[in-house]
Amino acid sequence: MNVVIYTRNGCHLCEDAEALVKAHGLTPQMVDVDADAALCEQFNTCVPVVEIDGKIRFRGRVEPVLLRRLLQASGR
């Protein structure tokens, strides 16, 4: 499962999202939106954004129940 978290420095919700994803046994790729003008424009006010297998699944907050359901549906 490929997980990308779009984040920014100092974002406590981003830190929460990373911890939750890791607690479920996943290793996310962290992408700083402020390092890329296009990403900053796209995700500026809604970080963290969690993309799983190429599809954006969460914005702002990761819902633990929904994350578990996604993982179960994928066979993890």
Side-chain angles (χ1 to χ4, degrees):
M1 193 169 256
N2 184 35
V3 180
V4 179
I5 300 177
Y6 296 95
T7 184
R8 68 170 23 111
N9 192 26
C11 170
H12 72 281
L13 291 176
C14 299
E15 293 167 1
D16 293 347
E18 179 182 12
L20 184 60
V21 166
K22 285 182 174 180
H24 283 83
L26 302 170
T27 305
Q29 173 189 357
M30 305 300 288
V31 176
D32 183 355
V33 298
D34 294 322
D36 182 304
L39 289 176
C40 189
E41 184 176 326
Q42 183 178 3
F43 298 129
N44 187 40
T45 61
C46 57
V47 293
V49 174
V50 179
E51 180 182 284
I52 300 174
D53 290 336
K55 185 171 183 178
I56 293 175
R57 296 296 188 163
F58 302 99
R59 291 177 185 264
R61 221 176 256 288
V62 177
E63 230 1 273
V65 172
L66 294 177
L67 179 58
R68 278 193 299 276
R69 287 181 186 165
L70 285 169
L71 294 175
Q72 289 171 348
S74 74
R76 288 192 59 113

